Structures are given as structure tokens and as C-alpha cells.
Amino acid sequence: MVSPSDIAHSSRVSASVPRAGHLTAPGHTPGRPSPEDESPRIVPRRHVGRRLTAAAALLAFAMVVNSVVRNDAFQWDVVGRYFTTAAVLDGLLLTLWLTGVVMVLGFLLGTSLAVMRLSGNPVLSALSWGYVWIFRSTPLLVQLLFWFNIGALYPTLGLGIPYGPQFVTVKTVNLLGPTLTAVVGLTLHEAAYAAEVVRGGILSVDSGQTEAAQALGIGRRRTLRRIVIPQAMRSIVPTAGNMLIGTLKGTSIVSVLAVHDLLYSVQLVYNQTYQVIPLLMVATLWYFAVTTVLGAGQYYVERHYARGSARALPSTPLRRLRVRLTALRAGLSGATASGARGAVDRGR
């Protein structure tokens, strides 16, 4: 018969003996988790090919940068001397002004053409289609030269009764100068592409939105202005941003009309100094700077119109940079702490 004292003694013995699977490893300090108790560390897969490709790309990029920076033919001292001269800055201001005016007028006319194309009136739809067909089929340089020489076809423009008396007449030679010709030609060309961009954006909106507005008794104009266009902007803005950058660079073609834009101003300088390469680099750097600013603005405009279409707005470049720096700092701290623990364990 087992007495209560024997039961107590056996329980003390079993408590002092380690259970199977929990034996203390040699050299292990009691009270700390043994290596068998620690969870296995997940090691990410090593992409050797990706690293080699990145190293080769960085090497090629470094070689290109070195060939540009250390090439004396670029004459960087001349570039710095002419970069902010009055002639270059005046040409830059005219380029920016021309880009802004052409984009505003082009999209106003293009929006009207898109609405005409989508209307139920067959005459308006056909006229809009014909306009887009003509101006997209003709090269921009040909259009500019045509408008510049419009006086050869129509020496005078008049307002009056067809086949009758003219009330007002204007000579086209005095009416269209080089700058106005550039504005007219670029605007008409831009409107043809803007019409298709706006039409595609309107068609991207679900037809149920229009049907719901009609069910609520909202008029067609108000439906288009307050419901359809705001939702279509999500599809219009990316293409419109590309068109804006393309228009900025495309204004350089007006130099054939002797319009004093950025490229023509640079050409006037190197025709006198014969320093062609550094002056072209001046224009190139200004185009780089302006397109970079426009690209950043396009990103934030797209982010604004993405509200409501995604659960979370995309992170800004600055926020992504902060997140990567924080992750890099945490990784370095973890590596340092791991090395310190390894040194302590080896010391023991």
C-alpha cells in the first residue's frame, strides 16, 4: 500500500528529472530557450542572375555618365555660361507660354469635338470625325507651313453675305504673324488628338452612371459636367499629361517659322559663336528640367483623381523613399545586433 509520503516523494523526483524532448543541451544556460526551441529562420531566395544584371546595368550607366561628364567636346563651362542668359530665358518663357496656350485651347476645342462625335446628330458627328481625320493625317510641319503661307490662297478674309457684299475684310498678310501662326497651327493639331483622348475617357465611364442620372431627372449637360467628366478624368489625365510633355517638346518645330522659342534662341547664339554642341546641351537641359517638373505634377494630379477608385491612394515618391530608408536602417540594426549576439555566444 502506497502512503501519501511516498506519493509526494515520487512527485518531487519526477519534477527534478527533465522530460523527454526538453533535455538541457551541454553548455546551455538554464532559464534561456535552447536552440531546439527557437523557430527556424526563413532565408530568402538568392537571385544571382538579377544581381549580375543589375551590376552590369550600373556599370554601363557609369560608363555613359563618365563619357559625358569627362568629354571635353561638350564644353561644360560654355554650357554653364549660357544656361541662364537673357536670350535663353526669353526663349524658355515663350516656349512655356506657347505650350500652355496650345494645351488650353486645344483641349477646349477637343472637348467640343468629342461631344459632337458622341452626339446623336449625324451631321455633327460626321463633321467631328472629318476634322479629326484631316488633322491627324497631315504632318504638323506641313500644317504650320500651310498656315504660314495662307495669304497665297486667301489674300483677304471677309465677313458678309455669301456671293454678296462684304462688311468686314482683313488682309491675311497682316493678320497672321509667326507667333499667331504657331498658336493656330499647334492648337488645331492638338485639338484633333485631344478630341480622341476626351472621347475615350467619356466612353470609359460605365453607362449605368448616365442611366442613373437620367432616372433622377438630371439633364444631359449637367450629367456630362458633374458626373461623367469627373469620372472620365481618371482615364484622361495620364494621356493628357503625355500630350502636355509632347507639346512642350513639339513647340521646337516652330523654329522653322522664326518664332523665338527656346530652340530658335539657342540657334541664334550658336550661329554667331559656332559653339553648336554646348548650346544644344543648354536647350536639352532646360527641356529635361521642365519635363521633370511636369511629370511630377502629372503624378499628383493622377493621384488626386484616383480617389474613390482604389482602397488606398498610391504612396508618394517621398513616402516610398522614407519607407525604404527605414527598412534599410532596421536591416542594418538587426545585422549589428545579430553580430553582437554571435560574439557573446562565441565568448562563452
Side-chain angles (χ1 to χ4, degrees):
M1 183 174 180
V2 181
S3 63
S5 59
D6 296 335
I7 296 175
H9 177 71
S10 63
S11 64
R12 285 195 300 269
V13 172
S14 63
S16 62
V17 178
R19 290 178 295 174
H22 291 276
L23 297 177
T24 304
H28 176 66
T29 304
R32 294 183 60 185
S34 62
E36 290 80 1
D37 294 335
E38 295 180 358
S39 59
R41 186 168 62 93
I42 300 176
V43 179
R45 180 183 178 184
R46 297 179 180 179
H47 300 277
V48 180
R50 183 185 300 176
R51 295 180 179 179
L52 292 177
T53 304
L58 288 176
L59 178 61
F61 177 73
M63 293 174 62
V64 171
V65 172
N66 179 69
S67 66
V68 173
V69 173
R70 303 185 64 180
N71 191 344
D72 296 334
F74 284 100
Q75 303 181 31
W76 293 108
D77 55 336
V78 179
V79 173
R81 187 165 63 250
Y82 284 100
F83 191 72
T84 56
T85 56
V88 173
L89 293 180
D90 290 341
L92 176 64
L93 290 177
L94 182 59
T95 296
L96 296 177
W97 176 84
L98 193 60
T99 302
V101 170
V102 168
M103 283 297 296
V104 171
L105 297 179
F107 264 87
L108 287 177
L109 180 57
T111 303
S112 302
L113 291 170
V115 174
M116 291 170 57
R117 181 76 179 274
L118 295 173
S119 68
N121 191 323
V123 176
L124 296 179
S125 180
L127 290 176
S128 175
W129 177 87
Y131 178 94
V132 173
W133 173 64
I134 291 174
F135 282 92
R136 286 201 309 178
S137 302
T138 311
L140 178 57
L141 180 59
V142 175
Q143 296 180 33
L144 290 176
L145 294 176
F146 174 82
W147 290 109
F148 190 70
N149 297 281
I150 193 65
L153 292 176
Y154 301 98
T156 59
L157 293 177
L159 179 63
I161 300 175
Y163 306 103
Q166 300 290 324
F167 303 119
V168 179
T169 58
V170 179
K171 291 185 177 181
T172 55
V173 177
N174 301 326
L175 180 63
L176 295 179
T179 304
L180 184 57
T181 301
V183 171
V184 172
L186 291 174
T187 299
L188 296 178
H189 179 267
E190 196 79 9
Y193 290 89
E196 292 299 290
V197 171
V198 175
R199 185 175 70 90
I202 293 175
L203 292 177
S204 67
V205 179
D206 186 45
S207 59
Q209 301 290 322
T210 305
E211 295 173 357
Q214 292 176 353
L216 294 174
I218 302 176
R220 297 189 60 182
R221 292 184 180 179
R222 189 178 180 186
T223 300
L224 182 66
R225 187 177 69 254
R226 300 296 299 273
I227 298 176
V228 177
I229 293 296
Q231 297 183 65
M233 291 297 292
R234 190 171 65 251
S235 301
I236 293 174
V237 167
T239 311
N242 293 333
M243 288 181 59
L244 176 61
I245 295 176
T247 303
L248 173 71
K249 297 183 296 182
T251 54
S252 60
I253 201 172
V254 301
S255 60
V256 300
L257 305 180
V259 178
H260 289 257
D261 69 318
L262 177 60
L263 180 59
Y264 189 75
S265 300
V266 166
Q267 289 175 339
L268 290 179
V269 176
Y270 73 63
N271 285 335
Q272 298 176 358
T273 63
Y274 301 102
Q275 296 170 324
V276 179
I277 299 299
L279 268 301
L280 289 178
M281 284 302 301
V282 170
T284 302
L285 291 177
W286 273 119
Y287 281 121
F288 268 122
V290 177
T291 53
T292 302
V293 173
L294 293 178
Q298 175 186 349
Y299 173 83
Y300 284 99
V301 173
E302 291 181 12
R303 189 172 182 270
H304 171 76
Y305 283 104
R307 296 180 303 175
S309 62
R311 294 183 180 273
L313 292 177
S315 300
T316 61
L318 293 178
R319 181 172 179 79
R320 288 200 298 266
L321 180 61
R322 286 197 297 266
V323 169
R324 291 180 181 179
L325 290 177
T326 303
L328 179 61
R329 192 180 300 111
L332 293 177
S333 300
T336 304
S338 174
R341 285 197 302 269
V344 171
D345 292 340
R346 287 192 298 269
R348 290 177 179 174

